[in-house]
Short mmCIF file of all heavy atoms in Angstrom, two decimals:
data_model
loop_
_atom_site.label_atom_id
_atom_site.label_comp_id
_atom_site.label_asym_id
_atom_site.label_seq_id
_atom_site.Cartn_x
_atom_site.Cartn_y
_atom_site.Cartn_z
N ARG B 136 -5.00 5.73 -9.28
CA ARG B 136 -4.72 5.75 -7.80
C ARG B 136 -5.78 6.65 -7.09
O ARG B 136 -6.04 7.68 -7.59
CB ARG B 136 -3.30 6.23 -7.48
CG ARG B 136 -2.23 5.41 -7.96
CD ARG B 136 -0.83 6.13 -7.78
NE ARG B 136 0.23 5.20 -8.05
CZ ARG B 136 1.47 5.57 -8.38
NH1 ARG B 136 1.78 6.88 -8.46
NH2 ARG B 136 2.44 4.71 -8.60
N PHE B 137 -6.12 6.18 -5.86
CA PHE B 137 -7.11 6.97 -5.16
C PHE B 137 -6.57 7.22 -3.74
O PHE B 137 -6.10 6.28 -3.08
CB PHE B 137 -8.44 6.25 -5.03
CG PHE B 137 -9.16 6.22 -6.37
CD1 PHE B 137 -8.81 5.29 -7.33
CD2 PHE B 137 -10.15 7.16 -6.71
CE1 PHE B 137 -9.44 5.32 -8.59
CE2 PHE B 137 -10.74 7.12 -7.93
CZ PHE B 137 -10.36 6.24 -8.84
N ALA B 138 -6.57 8.51 -3.29
CA ALA B 138 -6.08 8.82 -1.97
C ALA B 138 -7.16 8.73 -0.96
O ALA B 138 -8.29 9.06 -1.16
CB ALA B 138 -5.60 10.35 -2.05
N CYS B 139 -6.79 8.15 0.25
CA CYS B 139 -7.65 8.02 1.34
C CYS B 139 -7.46 9.18 2.32
O CYS B 139 -6.40 9.76 2.41
CB CYS B 139 -7.40 6.69 2.04
SG CYS B 139 -7.86 5.25 1.15
N SER B 140 -8.53 9.49 3.10
CA SER B 140 -8.43 10.62 4.01
C SER B 140 -7.37 10.50 5.05
O SER B 140 -6.86 11.45 5.62
CB SER B 140 -9.83 10.83 4.71
OG SER B 140 -10.25 9.58 5.34
N ASP B 141 -7.01 9.25 5.44
CA ASP B 141 -6.03 9.03 6.51
C ASP B 141 -4.63 8.71 5.92
O ASP B 141 -3.77 8.28 6.63
CB ASP B 141 -6.48 7.98 7.48
CG ASP B 141 -6.88 6.69 6.81
OD1 ASP B 141 -6.84 6.61 5.57
OD2 ASP B 141 -7.18 5.72 7.53
N GLY B 142 -4.45 8.92 4.71
CA GLY B 142 -3.06 8.79 4.06
C GLY B 142 -2.81 7.67 3.04
O GLY B 142 -2.10 7.94 2.13
N PRO B 143 -3.37 6.46 3.21
CA PRO B 143 -3.03 5.43 2.26
C PRO B 143 -3.54 5.77 0.84
O PRO B 143 -4.47 6.54 0.63
CB PRO B 143 -3.80 4.18 2.83
CG PRO B 143 -3.92 4.48 4.26
CD PRO B 143 -4.14 5.92 4.35
N VAL B 144 -2.87 5.08 -0.14
CA VAL B 144 -3.29 5.24 -1.52
C VAL B 144 -3.66 3.92 -2.02
O VAL B 144 -2.98 2.87 -1.82
CB VAL B 144 -2.13 5.81 -2.37
CG1 VAL B 144 -2.43 5.77 -3.82
CG2 VAL B 144 -1.85 7.26 -1.95
N LEU B 145 -4.80 3.78 -2.68
CA LEU B 145 -5.32 2.55 -3.31
C LEU B 145 -5.03 2.60 -4.79
O LEU B 145 -5.48 3.51 -5.42
CB LEU B 145 -6.81 2.43 -3.02
CG LEU B 145 -7.29 2.62 -1.58
CD1 LEU B 145 -8.83 2.53 -1.51
CD2 LEU B 145 -6.61 1.62 -0.70
N GLU B 146 -4.22 1.67 -5.26
CA GLU B 146 -3.86 1.64 -6.64
C GLU B 146 -4.52 0.44 -7.37
O GLU B 146 -4.59 -0.67 -6.81
CB GLU B 146 -2.38 1.54 -6.83
CG GLU B 146 -1.85 1.56 -8.23
CD GLU B 146 -0.34 1.72 -8.42
OE1 GLU B 146 0.26 2.42 -7.60
OE2 GLU B 146 0.20 1.08 -9.32
N GLY B 147 -4.96 0.66 -8.58
CA GLY B 147 -5.55 -0.39 -9.40
C GLY B 147 -4.56 -1.44 -9.97
O GLY B 147 -3.36 -1.21 -9.88
N PRO B 148 -5.08 -2.50 -10.54
CA PRO B 148 -4.23 -3.55 -11.09
C PRO B 148 -3.83 -3.35 -12.56
O PRO B 148 -3.45 -4.28 -13.26
CB PRO B 148 -5.08 -4.80 -10.87
CG PRO B 148 -6.45 -4.27 -11.05
CD PRO B 148 -6.51 -2.89 -10.49
N GLY B 149 -3.98 -2.09 -13.03
CA GLY B 149 -3.70 -1.87 -14.51
C GLY B 149 -2.23 -2.03 -14.84
O GLY B 149 -1.34 -2.08 -14.02
N PRO B 150 -1.94 -2.12 -16.17
CA PRO B 150 -0.58 -2.38 -16.60
C PRO B 150 0.29 -1.12 -16.45
O PRO B 150 -0.16 -0.05 -16.18
CB PRO B 150 -0.83 -2.71 -18.11
CG PRO B 150 -2.04 -2.02 -18.48
CD PRO B 150 -2.93 -2.08 -17.29
N ASP B 151 1.57 -1.34 -16.73
CA ASP B 151 2.59 -0.29 -16.58
C ASP B 151 2.70 0.68 -17.78
O ASP B 151 3.59 1.45 -17.85
CB ASP B 151 3.95 -0.89 -16.31
CG ASP B 151 4.00 -1.50 -14.92
OD1 ASP B 151 3.18 -1.18 -14.06
OD2 ASP B 151 4.88 -2.40 -14.74
N GLN B 152 1.78 0.60 -18.68
CA GLN B 152 1.76 1.47 -19.82
C GLN B 152 1.47 2.92 -19.50
O GLN B 152 0.61 3.16 -18.56
CB GLN B 152 0.72 1.05 -20.89
CG GLN B 152 0.98 -0.25 -21.57
CD GLN B 152 -0.23 -0.66 -22.35
OE1 GLN B 152 -1.21 -1.13 -21.82
NE2 GLN B 152 -0.10 -0.60 -23.66
N GLY B 153 2.04 3.87 -20.15
CA GLY B 153 1.77 5.27 -19.96
C GLY B 153 2.50 5.85 -18.72
O GLY B 153 3.39 5.25 -18.13
N GLU B 154 2.13 7.08 -18.40
CA GLU B 154 2.82 7.87 -17.31
C GLU B 154 1.77 8.33 -16.29
O GLU B 154 0.60 8.65 -16.68
CB GLU B 154 3.52 9.08 -17.91
CG GLU B 154 4.54 8.75 -18.97
CD GLU B 154 5.73 8.01 -18.40
OE1 GLU B 154 6.06 8.33 -17.18
OE2 GLU B 154 6.41 7.25 -19.10
N TRP B 155 2.15 8.32 -15.06
CA TRP B 155 1.25 8.88 -14.02
C TRP B 155 1.24 10.41 -14.15
O TRP B 155 2.28 11.03 -14.30
CB TRP B 155 1.79 8.55 -12.63
CG TRP B 155 1.54 7.10 -12.33
CD1 TRP B 155 2.42 6.09 -12.23
CD2 TRP B 155 0.28 6.54 -11.93
NE1 TRP B 155 1.89 4.93 -11.93
CE2 TRP B 155 0.51 5.13 -11.74
CE3 TRP B 155 -1.04 6.99 -11.82
CZ2 TRP B 155 -0.50 4.31 -11.34
CZ3 TRP B 155 -2.01 6.14 -11.47
CH2 TRP B 155 -1.80 4.77 -11.24
N GLY B 156 0.09 10.98 -14.06
CA GLY B 156 -0.13 12.44 -14.06
C GLY B 156 -0.07 12.97 -12.62
O GLY B 156 0.02 12.16 -11.66
N SER B 157 -0.30 14.24 -12.52
CA SER B 157 -0.35 14.86 -11.20
C SER B 157 -1.65 14.47 -10.49
O SER B 157 -2.65 14.10 -11.04
CB SER B 157 -0.25 16.41 -11.29
OG SER B 157 -1.33 16.92 -12.08
N TRP B 158 -1.68 14.62 -9.13
CA TRP B 158 -2.84 14.39 -8.32
C TRP B 158 -3.92 15.46 -8.63
O TRP B 158 -3.59 16.64 -8.83
CB TRP B 158 -2.50 14.37 -6.86
CG TRP B 158 -1.86 13.06 -6.47
CD1 TRP B 158 -0.52 12.79 -6.43
CD2 TRP B 158 -2.50 11.85 -6.10
NE1 TRP B 158 -0.28 11.52 -6.01
CE2 TRP B 158 -1.47 10.88 -5.85
CE3 TRP B 158 -3.83 11.43 -5.92
CZ2 TRP B 158 -1.74 9.59 -5.40
CZ3 TRP B 158 -4.10 10.13 -5.53
CH2 TRP B 158 -3.08 9.21 -5.30
N SER B 159 -5.14 15.05 -8.46
CA SER B 159 -6.27 15.96 -8.45
C SER B 159 -6.20 16.85 -7.17
O SER B 159 -5.46 16.46 -6.20
CB SER B 159 -7.61 15.27 -8.49
OG SER B 159 -7.80 14.59 -7.23
N PRO B 160 -6.87 17.96 -7.11
CA PRO B 160 -7.10 18.58 -5.86
C PRO B 160 -7.83 17.54 -4.93
O PRO B 160 -8.42 16.62 -5.40
CB PRO B 160 -8.07 19.78 -6.15
CG PRO B 160 -7.86 20.05 -7.61
CD PRO B 160 -7.59 18.67 -8.20
N LEU B 161 -7.73 17.80 -3.62
CA LEU B 161 -8.41 16.89 -2.63
C LEU B 161 -9.77 17.44 -2.25
O LEU B 161 -9.93 18.63 -2.04
CB LEU B 161 -7.55 16.72 -1.39
CG LEU B 161 -6.15 16.10 -1.66
CD1 LEU B 161 -5.45 15.85 -0.31
CD2 LEU B 161 -6.23 14.82 -2.46
N CYS B 162 -10.69 16.52 -2.08
CA CYS B 162 -12.01 16.90 -1.58
C CYS B 162 -11.88 17.40 -0.13
O CYS B 162 -11.14 16.77 0.64
CB CYS B 162 -12.99 15.80 -1.58
SG CYS B 162 -13.62 15.26 -3.28
N PRO B 163 -12.55 18.44 0.29
CA PRO B 163 -12.49 18.85 1.67
C PRO B 163 -12.93 17.78 2.66
O PRO B 163 -12.44 17.67 3.80
CB PRO B 163 -13.37 20.10 1.75
CG PRO B 163 -13.52 20.50 0.32
CD PRO B 163 -13.33 19.32 -0.52
N TRP B 164 -13.98 16.97 2.23
CA TRP B 164 -14.46 15.93 3.14
C TRP B 164 -14.31 14.55 2.50
O TRP B 164 -13.61 13.70 2.98
CB TRP B 164 -15.83 16.20 3.54
CG TRP B 164 -16.28 15.34 4.73
CD1 TRP B 164 -15.83 15.48 6.05
CD2 TRP B 164 -17.02 14.17 4.69
NE1 TRP B 164 -16.29 14.42 6.78
CE2 TRP B 164 -17.03 13.61 6.01
CE3 TRP B 164 -17.70 13.49 3.68
CZ2 TRP B 164 -17.77 12.44 6.33
CZ3 TRP B 164 -18.40 12.31 4.02
CH2 TRP B 164 -18.41 11.84 5.30
N ALA B 165 -15.06 14.30 1.41
CA ALA B 165 -15.00 13.03 0.78
C ALA B 165 -15.53 13.04 -0.62
O ALA B 165 -16.23 13.98 -1.05
CB ALA B 165 -15.79 12.03 1.61
N VAL B 166 -15.13 12.04 -1.43
CA VAL B 166 -15.73 11.81 -2.74
C VAL B 166 -17.12 11.14 -2.57
O VAL B 166 -17.31 10.31 -1.72
CB VAL B 166 -14.83 10.87 -3.65
CG1 VAL B 166 -15.55 10.39 -4.89
CG2 VAL B 166 -13.53 11.54 -3.91
N CYS B 167 -18.09 11.60 -3.37
CA CYS B 167 -19.43 10.94 -3.33
C CYS B 167 -20.01 10.74 -4.70
O CYS B 167 -21.18 10.33 -4.84
CB CYS B 167 -20.37 11.82 -2.46
SG CYS B 167 -20.61 13.46 -3.04
N GLY B 168 -19.23 10.97 -5.81
CA GLY B 168 -19.86 10.78 -7.15
C GLY B 168 -18.75 10.61 -8.15
O GLY B 168 -17.60 10.97 -7.93
N ILE B 169 -19.18 10.02 -9.29
CA ILE B 169 -18.20 9.77 -10.37
C ILE B 169 -18.84 9.92 -11.74
O ILE B 169 -20.02 9.73 -11.95
CB ILE B 169 -17.66 8.22 -10.21
CG1 ILE B 169 -16.60 8.02 -11.28
CG2 ILE B 169 -18.84 7.28 -10.32
CD1 ILE B 169 -15.88 6.68 -11.00
N GLN B 170 -18.05 10.34 -12.74
CA GLN B 170 -18.40 10.46 -14.08
C GLN B 170 -17.24 10.06 -14.96
O GLN B 170 -16.09 10.53 -14.70
CB GLN B 170 -18.84 11.88 -14.42
CG GLN B 170 -19.40 12.09 -15.77
CD GLN B 170 -19.87 13.59 -16.00
OE1 GLN B 170 -19.34 14.50 -15.42
NE2 GLN B 170 -20.90 13.76 -16.86
N THR B 171 -17.44 9.25 -15.95
CA THR B 171 -16.36 8.77 -16.84
C THR B 171 -16.47 9.31 -18.22
O THR B 171 -17.56 9.57 -18.69
CB THR B 171 -16.36 7.20 -16.91
OG1 THR B 171 -17.58 6.77 -17.39
CG2 THR B 171 -16.06 6.65 -15.55
N ARG B 172 -15.34 9.48 -18.86
CA ARG B 172 -15.23 9.77 -20.26
C ARG B 172 -14.86 8.46 -21.01
O ARG B 172 -13.84 7.95 -20.72
CB ARG B 172 -14.18 10.87 -20.55
CG ARG B 172 -14.21 11.28 -21.96
CD ARG B 172 -13.23 12.39 -22.25
NE ARG B 172 -13.32 12.85 -23.62
CZ ARG B 172 -12.61 13.88 -24.05
NH1 ARG B 172 -11.77 14.60 -23.32
NH2 ARG B 172 -12.72 14.29 -25.36
N GLN B 173 -15.76 7.96 -21.84
CA GLN B 173 -15.59 6.65 -22.51
C GLN B 173 -15.69 6.83 -24.00
O GLN B 173 -16.53 7.51 -24.53
CB GLN B 173 -16.72 5.70 -22.03
CG GLN B 173 -16.62 5.20 -20.64
CD GLN B 173 -15.65 3.99 -20.54
OE1 GLN B 173 -15.25 3.45 -21.57
NE2 GLN B 173 -15.33 3.66 -19.32
N GLU B 174 -14.71 6.17 -24.72
CA GLU B 174 -14.88 5.93 -26.12
C GLU B 174 -15.71 4.71 -26.37
O GLU B 174 -15.32 3.62 -25.84
CB GLU B 174 -13.54 5.85 -26.77
CG GLU B 174 -13.62 5.71 -28.26
CD GLU B 174 -12.31 5.47 -29.00
OE1 GLU B 174 -11.56 4.66 -28.48
OE2 GLU B 174 -12.08 6.15 -29.99
N PRO B 175 -16.74 4.72 -27.07
CA PRO B 175 -17.59 3.58 -27.40
C PRO B 175 -16.81 2.59 -28.24
O PRO B 175 -15.86 2.98 -28.92
CB PRO B 175 -18.81 4.11 -28.09
CG PRO B 175 -18.43 5.39 -28.68
CD PRO B 175 -17.40 5.96 -27.77
N PRO B 176 -17.19 1.32 -28.23
CA PRO B 176 -16.55 0.36 -29.11
C PRO B 176 -16.59 0.80 -30.53
O PRO B 176 -17.62 1.28 -30.99
CB PRO B 176 -17.31 -0.94 -28.91
CG PRO B 176 -17.97 -0.81 -27.51
CD PRO B 176 -18.24 0.73 -27.38
N ARG B 177 -15.47 0.63 -31.30
CA ARG B 177 -15.35 1.14 -32.64
C ARG B 177 -15.57 0.02 -33.64
O ARG B 177 -15.46 0.31 -34.87
CB ARG B 177 -13.99 1.81 -32.81
CG ARG B 177 -13.80 2.91 -31.77
CD ARG B 177 -12.60 3.73 -32.01
NE ARG B 177 -12.69 4.48 -33.26
CZ ARG B 177 -11.73 4.63 -34.14
NH1 ARG B 177 -10.50 4.06 -33.91
NH2 ARG B 177 -11.90 5.28 -35.22
N GLY B 178 -15.82 -1.15 -33.28
CA GLY B 178 -16.05 -2.25 -34.27
C GLY B 178 -14.83 -3.04 -34.53
O GLY B 178 -13.70 -2.77 -34.13
N LEU B 179 -15.10 -4.16 -35.26
CA LEU B 179 -14.07 -5.15 -35.55
C LEU B 179 -12.91 -4.47 -36.33
O LEU B 179 -13.09 -3.66 -37.19
CB LEU B 179 -14.65 -6.26 -36.45
CG LEU B 179 -13.84 -7.48 -36.69
CD1 LEU B 179 -13.64 -8.15 -35.35
CD2 LEU B 179 -14.56 -8.42 -37.66
N LYS B 180 -11.69 -4.86 -35.88
CA LYS B 180 -10.50 -4.32 -36.55
C LYS B 180 -10.19 -2.88 -36.34
O LYS B 180 -9.37 -2.33 -37.06
CB LYS B 180 -10.40 -4.66 -38.04
CG LYS B 180 -10.67 -6.12 -38.38
CD LYS B 180 -9.47 -6.93 -38.22
CE LYS B 180 -9.66 -8.32 -38.77
NZ LYS B 180 -8.67 -9.29 -38.47
N ARG B 181 -10.88 -2.24 -35.37
CA ARG B 181 -10.59 -0.88 -35.06
C ARG B 181 -9.91 -0.74 -33.71
O ARG B 181 -9.97 -1.61 -32.94
CB ARG B 181 -11.95 -0.05 -35.04
CG ARG B 181 -12.78 -0.15 -36.28
CD ARG B 181 -12.17 0.63 -37.49
NE ARG B 181 -11.99 2.03 -37.22
CZ ARG B 181 -12.96 2.97 -37.43
NH1 ARG B 181 -14.13 2.62 -37.89
NH2 ARG B 181 -12.68 4.20 -37.22
N ASP B 182 -9.22 0.37 -33.47
CA ASP B 182 -8.51 0.61 -32.22
C ASP B 182 -9.46 1.25 -31.16
O ASP B 182 -9.95 2.28 -31.31
CB ASP B 182 -7.37 1.60 -32.58
CG ASP B 182 -6.39 1.73 -31.43
OD1 ASP B 182 -6.47 1.02 -30.44
OD2 ASP B 182 -5.44 2.59 -31.57
N ASP B 183 -9.62 0.48 -30.09
CA ASP B 183 -10.44 0.96 -28.97
C ASP B 183 -9.59 1.43 -27.79
O ASP B 183 -8.52 0.89 -27.55
CB ASP B 183 -11.36 -0.23 -28.47
CG ASP B 183 -12.38 -0.64 -29.52
OD1 ASP B 183 -13.25 0.18 -29.85
OD2 ASP B 183 -12.31 -1.84 -29.98
#
Side-chain angles (χ1 to χ4, degrees):
R136 290 174 173 160
F137 290 82
C139 293
S140 54
D141 53 357
V144 171
L145 309 178
E146 185 172 320
D151 291 339
Q152 293 171 286
E154 301 292 330
W155 287 104
S157 59
W158 283 92
S159 70
L161 299 185
C162 289
W164 194 75
V166 168
C167 58
I169 186 170
Q170 187 178 28
T171 58
R172 185 178 185 178
Q173 287 277 349
E174 181 185 45
R177 303 187 67 221
L179 193 62
K180 307 279 187 191
R181 303 289 299 274
D182 189 7
D183 293 297

